[in-house]
Amino acid sequence: MSASAENNVVKENGWEEGTLLQKVMELVKQENLASGMESSKRVIEFQHPKDLEKILQLGLTREGLSFAQVEELLEKVVKYSVKTQHPHFYNQQYGGIDEVALTGAWLTDALNTNQHTYEVAPVFILMERFIIQHMISLFGWPEGDGIFSGGGSMSNMYGMLLARYRLYPDVKRTGIFGRKPLVIFTSDQSNYSFAKGASVMGIGMDNVISVATDSCGRMLPQALREEVAKARARGGEPFFVNASAGTTVLGSFDPFEDIADVCQEEGLWMHIDACWGGSVILSKTHRHNLNGIQRADSVSWNPHKMIGTTLQCSPFFVRHKGLLHECNSASATYLFQQDKFYDVSYDTGDKSIQCGRKVDAFKLYFLLSTKGMDLVEKKIDAAFSASDYLNEQLGVRPGFRRVIEKPQCTNTCFWYIPPSLRDQPETPEWWEKLSKVPSIIKARMVQEGTMMIGYQPLASKNLVNFFRLVNTSTPMTTNADMDFVLDEIERLGKDL
Amino acid sequence: MSASAENNVVKENGWEEGTLLQKVMELVKQENLASGMESSKRVIEFQHPKDLEKILQLGLTREGLSFAQVEELLEKVVKYSVKTQHPHFYNQQYGGIDEVALTGAWLTDALNTNQHTYEVAPVFILMERFIIQHMISLFGWPEGDGIFSGGGSMSNMYGMLLARYRLYPDVKRTGIFGRKPLVIFTSDQSNYSFAKGASVMGIGMDNVISVATDSCGRMLPQALREEVAKARARGGEPFFVNASAGTTVLGSFDPFEDIADVCQEEGLWMHIDACWGGSVILSKTHRHNLNGIQRADSVSWNPHKMIGTTLQCSPFFVRHKGLLHECNSASATYLFQQDKFYDVSYDTGDKSIQCGRKVDAFKLYFLLSTKGMDLVEKKIDAAFSASDYLNEQLGVRPGFRRVIEKPQCTNTCFWYIPPSLRDQPETPEWWEKLSKVPSIIKARMVQEGTMMIGYQPLASKNLVNFFRLVNTSTPMTTNADMDFVLDEIERLGKDL
């Protein structure tokens, strides 16, 4: 036996090999974390921060924990964590996982390698390439490149970086100091990562122009055209347009063909933030929402949002081969030697702005290959179908009101008008009262643990707090689940 | 039973719940991935990319895979992946994991939540806060803040972002266009992430000044002082100094107190890239290498490199409370509502430049609390002790030569001089021949699968290819392991 095997920490603590892993497995099974929870269980066992601190008793000691203490800690972690896999967790653009995805994630963790060279990640480098090429062909691009990034915000920044590099390759060496201010365009409904990215890149949040949207939250191409002209007139240098595929709140898909026309006329990079809505490309019924994607220069996608790979799983795609490497490479000789004995074009790490990268490609490849594309499609379609049903119900149930008439994605936005506020003149005071309703109902649902739904105002549309229910495809949602949500909101809010 | 449980994909495929997860568990046990591999097993089953493509037969189908096909795929993934947990994997600044860390990672994956609000990650938000406060007190800072980032490169960029924001808060809004070129200083031995970060931030790689180092790879404080003066004379705006704690190749620790003096005199932000060497703070014997860290403005640390948490685990720390939030916040109303019913100061996500963040804090907390600090310390000390032994052996074994006399960290850099090159005049031709030796021996060790050790040249010191053996603390390395390495290099290279 090797010395290192003798020195295994689990054995040093006097525990049998595999005991801790078995404990996790038991917890996962006991709570049905991977296989579909009962909706009768609680989605959250809420405690306020100070109370949870007392329960957890966090601390480090010289001698470590006994096995009984470890078990207790793991049980508390599960008990007080939010069950994102609960059928009634509709809080965000992500949710549970299924056993297939979790299997991929577990094996990735166990192998613990780094997605930067073929040398240390041969299998995973090939899988990353495969997935990227597969998606590029689905987009209808003749060629392209891509990389799994550290999340959607990073992917969106990759788009901005490549656009800036294409415009001014010497920026990589000399910076942007002497330049005209670079200007970014994105709709007033888009994700806040463009503002953050602009701040990071030295462009500044003021140079991210919010383009107006229609009543459904879709970018107005004519407004984009006008904003570009205004920016040029102010002495700015427009270079990048983001179009959203599934906006965070309303779930809108921008009109990509029209935006591509503007980008072509104006010589601007067209990026599509498809982090949320990109998964529809896997559905014959819903992929029309992405029409025009074939003309984008770059695309971000987070399969962890809709199709149940674990967080994070964020491939980024670019239509221009070679550009990722040119833009980001720094050729560290301690990683990317050119005198290796294999084909070093498989060493992809220098395309990344990270050095070490977790292997996120495997769980996506494993999920898609194991489930098969029919089942993935069926589950996406089911999320849309449940959302359609919910939207219908919102139109007929007393006390509910839609924020937009016909949502494009599986976000459903609505107000609940409690009995005391119904059939009254909708004065500013009335709206003020209505704006308090979601936070009170949210507090009640969390304290009872029956479900979780997000809410927020939408300043750009002058809308007060409303619920936003998000259906992901895992767990698969049914019409009965949607009825439960509406019944439960009524129950929790009828006295308001 | 809830509808979603009925629709579980594993059951849809006709497989029993838990079967796939059990399969991963079996593979992990069978190969001893978590408990210490036998050194007689292969560290890699190498195949060239084109051959591995044929073996893996990657592809997606409409109907998905049978269980037998899934088993075959998982077995191939394990077989052809590099065993970073092998006792003779010395290739990088990371290695295996142990069962404790893996348990934490598996549970994190199973719970699948996002580290951005207390609302969805109550337990993990508290653990992240705890670890950050604990480390801050170890650094000797009276107060501070921090965040787990997407890797060491991201953490180093956080340092640069905060330094830039402190100098020019309006950069966040307006960008850096009209400014004098900002200038960054870091040693010629430091990690390449500063160049990448400068490119991303619009500063440009040419504005990252390489400061000269002594023969052991430590930054020369006088050289730093001179470079700062030269940059000012050129019209640049020095603002950020990186000091390294454990450089990537030589493992050097810069003289932090002296560098802090320069930063104080010149009014510059002092960052310490302690991604690799930061773990020594947990060892009474080796923490002196970090003397001066109490004066740093920010610190990056990757516990996944030395103490065996899985990739990635990258806390970033800053001594100035509030600055992270001021610099990075974009106040997305759909995530960071202020009218929630709990204390929203626990919602940390707006301090991040990411939106979604994987939970990386738990595995570190779980590792440290379960093992206990004594055992963590013992394992770090063992890595240093084995490196000391190796370094001694390099001084007495014929045919081996140290690159530096006394390494500070657990990287050991050396040449192997095969018999045919011994006792000869060391002409340029001789060095040219010697430069080919590591790549040939590396190819042979990989093809036989007996061990993995990195090699690289070091242009900044005019050194040709040499081996760099990295001892992490997991698995724990022994003197016998070091003897094996030297014997094996002799065996593989004696005919060269």
Side-chain angles (χ1 to χ4, degrees), chain B residues 436-458:
Chain B
K436 311 281 190 220
V437 170
S439 64
I440 300 169
I441 294 179
K442 172 72 174 254
R444 290 176 179 180
M445 72 172 78
V446 164
Q447 276 155 345
E448 298 203 15
T450 51
M451 61 185 185
M452 274 183 85
I453 308 176
Y455 71 88
Q456 69 287 299
L458 196 57

PDB file of all heavy atoms in Angstrom, chain B residues 436-458:
ATOM      1  N   LYS B 436      16.010  19.469 -24.318  1.00  0.00           N
ATOM      2  CA  LYS B 436      15.091  18.481 -24.921  1.00  0.00           C
ATOM      3  C   LYS B 436      14.751  17.344 -23.957  1.00  0.00           C
ATOM      4  O   LYS B 436      13.810  16.583 -24.201  1.00  0.00           O
ATOM      5  CB  LYS B 436      15.745  17.835 -26.167  1.00  0.00           C
ATOM      6  CG  LYS B 436      16.346  18.791 -27.161  1.00  0.00           C
ATOM      7  CD  LYS B 436      15.275  19.418 -28.035  1.00  0.00           C
ATOM      8  CE  LYS B 436      15.890  20.188 -29.186  1.00  0.00           C
ATOM      9  NZ  LYS B 436      15.173  21.453 -29.445  1.00  0.00           N
ATOM     10  N   VAL B 437      15.541  17.201 -22.914  1.00  0.00           N
ATOM     11  CA  VAL B 437      15.406  16.033 -22.034  1.00  0.00           C
ATOM     12  C   VAL B 437      14.035  15.969 -21.328  1.00  0.00           C
ATOM     13  O   VAL B 437      13.377  14.930 -21.351  1.00  0.00           O
ATOM     14  CB  VAL B 437      16.583  15.989 -21.029  1.00  0.00           C
ATOM     15  CG1 VAL B 437      16.342  14.942 -19.939  1.00  0.00           C
ATOM     16  CG2 VAL B 437      17.889  15.709 -21.781  1.00  0.00           C
ATOM     17  N   PRO B 438      13.577  17.065 -20.698  1.00  0.00           N
ATOM     18  CA  PRO B 438      12.307  16.935 -19.950  1.00  0.00           C
ATOM     19  C   PRO B 438      11.120  16.530 -20.814  1.00  0.00           C
ATOM     20  O   PRO B 438      10.303  15.706 -20.379  1.00  0.00           O
ATOM     21  CB  PRO B 438      12.101  18.335 -19.354  1.00  0.00           C
ATOM     22  CG  PRO B 438      13.479  18.913 -19.261  1.00  0.00           C
ATOM     23  CD  PRO B 438      14.191  18.390 -20.476  1.00  0.00           C
ATOM     24  N   SER B 439      11.041  17.069 -22.034  1.00  0.00           N
ATOM     25  CA  SER B 439       9.855  16.729 -22.835  1.00  0.00           C
ATOM     26  C   SER B 439       9.868  15.251 -23.233  1.00  0.00           C
ATOM     27  O   SER B 439       8.822  14.611 -23.297  1.00  0.00           O
ATOM     28  CB  SER B 439       9.737  17.640 -24.063  1.00  0.00           C
ATOM     29  OG  SER B 439      10.824  17.450 -24.925  1.00  0.00           O
ATOM     30  N   ILE B 440      11.079  14.711 -23.453  1.00  0.00           N
ATOM     31  CA  ILE B 440      11.152  13.276 -23.811  1.00  0.00           C
ATOM     32  C   ILE B 440      10.787  12.409 -22.603  1.00  0.00           C
ATOM     33  O   ILE B 440      10.003  11.467 -22.703  1.00  0.00           O
ATOM     34  CB  ILE B 440      12.564  12.924 -24.342  1.00  0.00           C
ATOM     35  CG1 ILE B 440      12.885  13.760 -25.594  1.00  0.00           C
ATOM     36  CG2 ILE B 440      12.650  11.419 -24.657  1.00  0.00           C
ATOM     37  CD1 ILE B 440      14.340  13.672 -26.029  1.00  0.00           C
ATOM     38  N   ILE B 441      11.345  12.755 -21.457  1.00  0.00           N
ATOM     39  CA  ILE B 441      11.033  11.962 -20.249  1.00  0.00           C
ATOM     40  C   ILE B 441       9.559  12.106 -19.891  1.00  0.00           C
ATOM     41  O   ILE B 441       8.902  11.125 -19.509  1.00  0.00           O
ATOM     42  CB  ILE B 441      11.959  12.382 -19.075  1.00  0.00           C
ATOM     43  CG1 ILE B 441      13.411  12.005 -19.397  1.00  0.00           C
ATOM     44  CG2 ILE B 441      11.487  11.749 -17.761  1.00  0.00           C
ATOM     45  CD1 ILE B 441      14.418  12.395 -18.323  1.00  0.00           C
ATOM     46  N   LYS B 442       9.013  13.319 -20.057  1.00  0.00           N
ATOM     47  CA  LYS B 442       7.590  13.525 -19.775  1.00  0.00           C
ATOM     48  C   LYS B 442       6.742  12.626 -20.673  1.00  0.00           C
ATOM     49  O   LYS B 442       5.802  11.970 -20.197  1.00  0.00           O
ATOM     50  CB  LYS B 442       7.228  15.006 -19.986  1.00  0.00           C
ATOM     51  CG  LYS B 442       5.733  15.335 -19.917  1.00  0.00           C
ATOM     52  CD  LYS B 442       5.214  15.257 -18.481  1.00  0.00           C
ATOM     53  CE  LYS B 442       3.774  15.712 -18.390  1.00  0.00           C
ATOM     54  NZ  LYS B 442       3.619  17.013 -17.800  1.00  0.00           N
ATOM     55  N   ALA B 443       7.065  12.602 -21.969  1.00  0.00           N
ATOM     56  CA  ALA B 443       6.296  11.759 -22.888  1.00  0.00           C
ATOM     57  C   ALA B 443       6.361  10.293 -22.446  1.00  0.00           C
ATOM     58  O   ALA B 443       5.354   9.590 -22.432  1.00  0.00           O
ATOM     59  CB  ALA B 443       6.828  11.912 -24.308  1.00  0.00           C
ATOM     60  N   ARG B 444       7.529   9.869 -22.023  1.00  0.00           N
ATOM     61  CA  ARG B 444       7.680   8.461 -21.602  1.00  0.00           C
ATOM     62  C   ARG B 444       6.898   8.179 -20.316  1.00  0.00           C
ATOM     63  O   ARG B 444       6.260   7.143 -20.183  1.00  0.00           O
ATOM     64  CB  ARG B 444       9.167   8.132 -21.400  1.00  0.00           C
ATOM     65  CG  ARG B 444       9.914   8.088 -22.724  1.00  0.00           C
ATOM     66  CD  ARG B 444      11.410   7.864 -22.501  1.00  0.00           C
ATOM     67  NE  ARG B 444      12.114   7.798 -23.784  1.00  0.00           N
ATOM     68  CZ  ARG B 444      13.429   7.608 -23.900  1.00  0.00           C
ATOM     69  NH1 ARG B 444      14.184   7.439 -22.809  1.00  0.00           N
ATOM     70  NH2 ARG B 444      13.990   7.571 -25.092  1.00  0.00           N
ATOM     71  N   MET B 445       6.949   9.105 -19.351  1.00  0.00           N
ATOM     72  CA  MET B 445       6.225   8.839 -18.094  1.00  0.00           C
ATOM     73  C   MET B 445       4.717   8.825 -18.319  1.00  0.00           C
ATOM     74  O   MET B 445       3.994   8.052 -17.698  1.00  0.00           O
ATOM     75  CB  MET B 445       6.633   9.824 -16.984  1.00  0.00           C
ATOM     76  CG  MET B 445       6.151  11.244 -17.135  1.00  0.00           C
ATOM     77  SD  MET B 445       6.478  12.313 -15.670  1.00  0.00           S
ATOM     78  CE  MET B 445       8.200  12.709 -15.847  1.00  0.00           C
ATOM     79  N   VAL B 446       4.272   9.675 -19.226  1.00  0.00           N
ATOM     80  CA  VAL B 446       2.832   9.722 -19.511  1.00  0.00           C
ATOM     81  C   VAL B 446       2.414   8.459 -20.259  1.00  0.00           C
ATOM     82  O   VAL B 446       1.383   7.855 -19.963  1.00  0.00           O
ATOM     83  CB  VAL B 446       2.496  11.003 -20.302  1.00  0.00           C
ATOM     84  CG1 VAL B 446       1.130  10.895 -20.952  1.00  0.00           C
ATOM     85  CG2 VAL B 446       2.564  12.216 -19.384  1.00  0.00           C
ATOM     86  N   GLN B 447       3.243   8.035 -21.208  1.00  0.00           N
ATOM     87  CA  GLN B 447       2.877   6.833 -21.957  1.00  0.00           C
ATOM     88  C   GLN B 447       2.893   5.589 -21.072  1.00  0.00           C
ATOM     89  O   GLN B 447       2.074   4.710 -21.243  1.00  0.00           O
ATOM     90  CB  GLN B 447       3.762   6.690 -23.194  1.00  0.00           C
ATOM     91  CG  GLN B 447       3.188   7.533 -24.340  1.00  0.00           C
ATOM     92  CD  GLN B 447       4.215   7.966 -25.363  1.00  0.00           C
ATOM     93  OE1 GLN B 447       5.417   7.891 -25.126  1.00  0.00           O
ATOM     94  NE2 GLN B 447       3.741   8.435 -26.516  1.00  0.00           N
ATOM     95  N   GLU B 448       3.799   5.552 -20.121  1.00  0.00           N
ATOM     96  CA  GLU B 448       3.790   4.418 -19.174  1.00  0.00           C
ATOM     97  C   GLU B 448       2.797   4.649 -18.041  1.00  0.00           C
ATOM     98  O   GLU B 448       2.412   3.695 -17.354  1.00  0.00           O
ATOM     99  CB  GLU B 448       5.189   4.192 -18.609  1.00  0.00           C
ATOM    100  CG  GLU B 448       6.183   3.817 -19.706  1.00  0.00           C
ATOM    101  CD  GLU B 448       7.377   3.057 -19.168  1.00  0.00           C
ATOM    102  OE1 GLU B 448       7.333   2.569 -18.020  1.00  0.00           O
ATOM    103  OE2 GLU B 448       8.367   2.966 -19.904  1.00  0.00           O
ATOM    104  N   GLY B 449       2.427   5.892 -17.815  1.00  0.00           N
ATOM    105  CA  GLY B 449       1.434   6.194 -16.788  1.00  0.00           C
ATOM    106  C   GLY B 449       1.940   6.105 -15.358  1.00  0.00           C
ATOM    107  O   GLY B 449       1.146   6.028 -14.427  1.00  0.00           O
ATOM    108  N   THR B 450       3.252   6.156 -15.182  1.00  0.00           N
ATOM    109  CA  THR B 450       3.777   5.957 -13.820  1.00  0.00           C
ATOM    110  C   THR B 450       3.724   7.203 -12.955  1.00  0.00           C
ATOM    111  O   THR B 450       3.626   7.119 -11.742  1.00  0.00           O
ATOM    112  CB  THR B 450       5.245   5.490 -13.858  1.00  0.00           C
ATOM    113  OG1 THR B 450       5.978   6.389 -14.719  1.00  0.00           O
ATOM    114  CG2 THR B 450       5.333   4.083 -14.391  1.00  0.00           C
ATOM    115  N   MET B 451       3.812   8.371 -13.585  1.00  0.00           N
ATOM    116  CA  MET B 451       3.756   9.619 -12.807  1.00  0.00           C
ATOM    117  C   MET B 451       3.540  10.796 -13.749  1.00  0.00           C
ATOM    118  O   MET B 451       3.630  10.643 -14.969  1.00  0.00           O
ATOM    119  CB  MET B 451       5.037   9.813 -11.972  1.00  0.00           C
ATOM    120  CG  MET B 451       6.309   9.903 -12.769  1.00  0.00           C
ATOM    121  SD  MET B 451       7.744   9.981 -11.633  1.00  0.00           S
ATOM    122  CE  MET B 451       9.057  10.240 -12.817  1.00  0.00           C
ATOM    123  N   MET B 452       3.215  11.941 -13.203  1.00  0.00           N
ATOM    124  CA  MET B 452       3.110  13.164 -14.012  1.00  0.00           C
ATOM    125  C   MET B 452       3.795  14.308 -13.273  1.00  0.00           C
ATOM    126  O   MET B 452       3.484  14.588 -12.113  1.00  0.00           O
ATOM    127  CB  MET B 452       1.652  13.516 -14.310  1.00  0.00           C
ATOM    128  CG  MET B 452       1.120  12.803 -15.551  1.00  0.00           C
ATOM    129  SD  MET B 452      -0.588  13.278 -15.975  1.00  0.00           S
ATOM    130  CE  MET B 452      -0.300  14.774 -16.936  1.00  0.00           C
ATOM    131  N   ILE B 453       4.742  14.915 -13.971  1.00  0.00           N
ATOM    132  CA  ILE B 453       5.468  16.066 -13.432  1.00  0.00           C
ATOM    133  C   ILE B 453       5.519  17.108 -14.544  1.00  0.00           C
ATOM    134  O   ILE B 453       5.729  16.756 -15.709  1.00  0.00           O
ATOM    135  CB  ILE B 453       6.920  15.709 -13.033  1.00  0.00           C
ATOM    136  CG1 ILE B 453       6.926  14.487 -12.106  1.00  0.00           C
ATOM    137  CG2 ILE B 453       7.626  16.886 -12.379  1.00  0.00           C
ATOM    138  CD1 ILE B 453       8.318  14.018 -11.743  1.00  0.00           C
ATOM    139  N   GLY B 454       5.339  18.351 -14.203  1.00  0.00           N
ATOM    140  CA  GLY B 454       5.399  19.416 -15.200  1.00  0.00           C
ATOM    141  C   GLY B 454       6.834  19.819 -15.516  1.00  0.00           C
ATOM    142  O   GLY B 454       7.755  19.536 -14.765  1.00  0.00           O
ATOM    143  N   TYR B 455       6.999  20.452 -16.648  1.00  0.00           N
ATOM    144  CA  TYR B 455       8.297  21.058 -16.977  1.00  0.00           C
ATOM    145  C   TYR B 455       8.030  22.328 -17.755  1.00  0.00           C
ATOM    146  O   TYR B 455       6.932  22.517 -18.305  1.00  0.00           O
ATOM    147  CB  TYR B 455       9.172  20.102 -17.801  1.00  0.00           C
ATOM    148  CG  TYR B 455       8.679  19.915 -19.215  1.00  0.00           C
ATOM    149  CD1 TYR B 455       9.096  20.782 -20.240  1.00  0.00           C
ATOM    150  CD2 TYR B 455       7.783  18.908 -19.540  1.00  0.00           C
ATOM    151  CE1 TYR B 455       8.606  20.629 -21.545  1.00  0.00           C
ATOM    152  CE2 TYR B 455       7.296  18.754 -20.823  1.00  0.00           C
ATOM    153  CZ  TYR B 455       7.713  19.619 -21.820  1.00  0.00           C
ATOM    154  OH  TYR B 455       7.230  19.488 -23.096  1.00  0.00           O
ATOM    155  N   GLN B 456       8.959  23.216 -17.789  1.00  0.00           N
ATOM    156  CA  GLN B 456       8.845  24.448 -18.566  1.00  0.00           C
ATOM    157  C   GLN B 456      10.190  25.167 -18.592  1.00  0.00           C
ATOM    158  O   GLN B 456      11.035  24.920 -17.744  1.00  0.00           O
ATOM    159  CB  GLN B 456       7.788  25.401 -17.975  1.00  0.00           C
ATOM    160  CG  GLN B 456       8.166  26.000 -16.634  1.00  0.00           C
ATOM    161  CD  GLN B 456       8.085  24.999 -15.524  1.00  0.00           C
ATOM    162  OE1 GLN B 456       7.026  24.468 -15.252  1.00  0.00           O
ATOM    163  NE2 GLN B 456       9.208  24.699 -14.862  1.00  0.00           N
ATOM    164  N   PRO B 457      10.380  26.074 -19.563  1.00  0.00           N
ATOM    165  CA  PRO B 457      11.550  26.950 -19.515  1.00  0.00           C
ATOM    166  C   PRO B 457      11.207  28.138 -18.621  1.00  0.00           C
ATOM    167  O   PRO B 457      10.069  28.290 -18.182  1.00  0.00           O
ATOM    168  CB  PRO B 457      11.706  27.403 -20.965  1.00  0.00           C
ATOM    169  CG  PRO B 457      10.302  27.439 -21.487  1.00  0.00           C
ATOM    170  CD  PRO B 457       9.554  26.340 -20.750  1.00  0.00           C
ATOM    171  N   LEU B 458      12.193  28.979 -18.329  1.00  0.00           N
ATOM    172  CA  LEU B 458      11.929  30.199 -17.558  1.00  0.00           C
ATOM    173  C   LEU B 458      12.713  31.325 -18.221  1.00  0.00           C
ATOM    174  O   LEU B 458      13.872  31.592 -17.879  1.00  0.00           O
ATOM    175  CB  LEU B 458      12.340  30.009 -16.091  1.00  0.00           C
ATOM    176  CG  LEU B 458      11.784  31.026 -15.093  1.00  0.00           C
ATOM    177  CD1 LEU B 458      10.263  31.071 -15.119  1.00  0.00           C
ATOM    178  CD2 LEU B 458      12.268  30.705 -13.685  1.00  0.00           C
TER     179      LEU B 458
END
